[in-house]
């Protein structure tokens, strides 16, 4: 009995312990896991406590600083836009500063210069209506164009030199702030009867102010409305060239100076071989003969009109003995522009310079020569000058810089 009581007491005690454990919600395994968790937390806390507090502050400050310095997306966009605007403004300034220089060069250019700057200037003048060959060579044709432009601007000196002031006014003309009419500049400044009224006093003043040719025997003597031959000038060595004429009379107009006559014979011989039949019509004329011819033309057509196609006494190249008018049977030996359409006229235009002759009054050069187009009027200037004048499509005035 005693043993049963002791057993019962033991069982009750064990039951009480079991119930107590259950009421606390902890099993032996849970208690172990909780202990391990608590131990880990203590370890982490110890590690955190072992780290220097200053390091924590330093990391935070660095992060704050990075966040502060780091631009936002809006800031990035604004900065990018500002950069583009600045770049655009800078480019605009550069473009404005160099645009004019791209049209016209800066500096001084004169006869004989060549290169890209000359080409730029020629292109600019062509934009104003001139017809220059853009070859980078500042020859007499370009000099003439510069002079013609300068002649239309009262503030410019007519010297054929491209400089700062000329550049300034060309730019104004390109921008539309200055009216330019190619071919009128020199006419406005030439003191010739063509540009004066028919008042007799003005005509007399023109004659008094005309230049008298100082070297009339030179094969490059310039004879025109501004450069007169002396009334008593008669060339030496006048001969009749051995060429065809449409008349048989021995007239003074058959004559030429020996040097020009020899060249004419060579040209006619070459024409014969090429199958063209040239005829010589009118060569030397004296001062008195030219005076009579002009008077007759003035009576028939009026003095002003006559001055467009007929030279006054002293102003005719025929008095030099270096000129010959040529013609063809196809136009009944007349002297008119139809000659240019004949085989003879076309051959002369192509080959005359090879023998030292030029078409003295070419098409489109009336404003320079003072006379209308005359494809029949040949002037001897020598092979070198003739080839240069022909290849550059200029006049004797331009070749000589007048």
């Amino acid at each position: 009995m005693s043993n049963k009581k002791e057993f019962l007491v033991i069982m009750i005690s064990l039951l009480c312990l079991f119930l107590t454990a259950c009421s606390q919600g902890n099993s032996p395994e849970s208690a172990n896991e909780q202990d391990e968790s608590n131990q880990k937390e203590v370890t982490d806390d110890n590690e955190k406590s072992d780290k220097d507090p200053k390091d924590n502050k330093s990391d935070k400050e660095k992060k704050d600083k990075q966040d502060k310095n780091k631009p936002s997306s809006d800031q990035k966009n604004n900065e990018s836009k500002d950069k583009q605007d600045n770049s655009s403004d800078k480019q605009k300034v550069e473009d404005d500063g160099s645009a004019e220089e791209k049209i016209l060069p800066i500096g001084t250019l004169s006869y004989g210069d060549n290169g890209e700057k000359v080409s730029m200037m020629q292109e600019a003048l062509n934009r104003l209506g001139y017809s220059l060959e853009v070859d980078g060579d500042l020859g007499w044709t370009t000099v003439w164009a510069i002079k013609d432009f300068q002649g239309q601007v009262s503030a410019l000196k007519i010297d054929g030199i491209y400089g700062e002031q000329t550049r300034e006014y060309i730019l104004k003309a390109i921008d539309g702030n200055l009216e330019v009419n190619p071919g009128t500049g020199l006419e406005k400044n030439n003191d010739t009867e063509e540009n004066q009224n028919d008042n007799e006093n003005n005509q007399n003043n023109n004659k008094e102010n005309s230049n008298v040719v100082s070297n009339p025997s030179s094969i490059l003597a310039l004879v025109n409305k501004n450069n007169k031959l002396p009334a008593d000038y008669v060339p030496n060595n006048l001969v009749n060239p051995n060429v065809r004429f449409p008349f048989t009379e021995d007239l003074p107009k058959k004559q030429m100076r020996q040097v020009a006559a020899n060249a004419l014979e060579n040209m006619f011989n070459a024409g014969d071989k090429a199958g063209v039949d040239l005829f010589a019509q009118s060569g030397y004329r004296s001062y008195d003969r030219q005076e009579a011819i002009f008077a007759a033309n003035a009576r028939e057509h009026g003095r002003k009109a006559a001055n467009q196609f007929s030279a006054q006494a002293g102003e005719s190249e025929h008095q030099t003995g270096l000129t010959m008018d040529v013609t063809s049977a196809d136009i009944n030996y007349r002297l008119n522009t139809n000659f240019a359409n004949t085989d003879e006229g076309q051959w002369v235009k192509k080959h005359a310079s090879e023998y030292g002759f030029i078409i003295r009054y070419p098409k489109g050069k009336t404003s320079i020569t003072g006379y209308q187009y005359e494809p029949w009027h040949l002037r001897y200037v020598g092979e070198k000058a003739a080839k240069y004048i022909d290849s550059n499509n200029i006049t004797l005035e331009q070749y000589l810089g007048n």
Side-chain angles (χ1 to χ4, degrees), residues 37-252:
S37 175
N38 291 338
Q39 185 177 3
K40 184 176 181 182
E41 288 177 2
V42 171
T43 302
D44 292 340
D45 289 341
N46 289 337
E47 288 176 355
K48 289 179 181 180
S49 63
D50 291 340
K51 191 173 183 181
D52 192 340
K54 292 181 179 179
D55 292 339
N56 292 333
K57 183 178 179 181
S58 176
D59 290 342
K60 184 178 181 182
E61 288 176 352
K62 288 180 180 179
K63 185 175 185 304
D64 291 342
K65 187 175 181 180
Q66 289 174 351
D67 292 340
K68 184 178 180 181
N69 292 335
K70 185 177 181 181
S72 64
S73 60
D74 290 339
Q75 288 175 325
K76 286 182 178 180
N77 292 334
N78 290 336
E79 288 176 359
S80 177
K81 186 174 183 301
D82 291 341
K83 187 175 181 180
Q84 291 176 354
D85 291 342
N86 291 337
S87 176
S88 177
D89 291 341
K90 182 179 180 182
Q91 184 64 38
K92 184 177 180 181
V93 171
E94 291 177 352
D95 288 345
D96 290 342
S98 62
E100 291 183 351
E101 191 173 352
K102 291 179 180 178
I103 297 174
L104 274 173
I106 295 174
T108 301
L109 298 170
S110 58
Y111 174 74
D113 288 337
N114 54 67
E116 184 178 354
K117 288 186 176 182
V118 175
S119 295
M120 290 172 61
M121 180 186 63
Q122 291 170 331
E123 289 176 349
L125 288 170
N126 285 346
R127 291 176 65 174
L128 300 180
Y130 291 92
S131 300
L132 299 173
E133 182 181 356
V134 182
D135 56 4
D137 181 17
L138 209 165
W140 291 122
T141 303
T142 304
V143 169
W144 170 84
I146 296 172
K147 283 185 174 182
D148 183 77
F149 176 83
Q150 292 170 334
Q152 298 178 61
V153 182
S154 59
L156 295 177
K157 180 181 179 181
I158 307 175
D159 56 9
I161 298 174
Y162 170 87
E164 181 179 351
Q165 277 194 310
T166 298
R167 178 181 185 273
E168 176 185 345
Y169 283 99
I170 292 176
L171 285 172
K172 287 182 179 181
I174 290 175
D175 291 338
N177 298 321
L178 176 65
E179 183 178 354
V180 175
N181 296 304
T184 64
L186 295 180
E187 282 185 348
K188 291 178 181 179
N189 290 277
N190 282 341
D191 193 17
T192 65
E193 184 185 78
E194 180 183 2
N195 299 302
Q196 302 292 334
N197 295 326
D198 287 331
N199 183 282
E200 189 66 30
N201 290 330
N202 286 337
Q203 292 174 5
N204 291 334
N205 288 335
N206 287 339
K207 291 181 180 180
E208 291 176 2
N209 294 330
S210 294
N211 296 320
V212 176
V213 177
S214 60
N215 57 342
S217 61
S218 170
I219 63 171
L220 287 176
L222 180 63
V223 180
N224 55 26
K225 293 177 181 180
N226 291 325
N227 298 276
K228 298 180 62 174
L229 290 166
D232 59 353
Y233 174 69
V234 178
N236 295 324
N237 302 320
L238 286 172
V239 298
N240 291 348
N242 184 21
V243 296
R244 285 183 297 274
F245 288 89
F247 55 88
T248 58
E249 298 88 347
D250 188 14
L251 301 175

Side-chain angles (χ1 to χ4, degrees), residues 240-245 254-271 278-281 323-326 355 357 378 380:
N240 291 348
N242 184 21
V243 296
R244 285 183 297 274
F245 288 89
K254 276 188 174 183
Q255 297 177 326
M256 294 185 80
R257 283 175 57 181
Q258 184 73 64
V259 64
N262 292 341
L264 190 72
E265 291 172 358
N266 292 335
M267 188 179 76
F268 270 55
N269 289 334
L278 288 167
F279 284 81
Q281 178 65 278
T323 295
M324 179 63 74
D325 293 334
V326 295
Y355 304 93
F357 290 96
L378 302 183
Y380 182 78

Side-chain angles (χ1 to χ4, degrees), residues 364-376:
K365 304 290 187 179
T366 302
S367 62
I368 305 173
T369 65
Y371 296 101
Q372 65 185 20
Y373 174 43
E374 295 187 1
W376 65 85

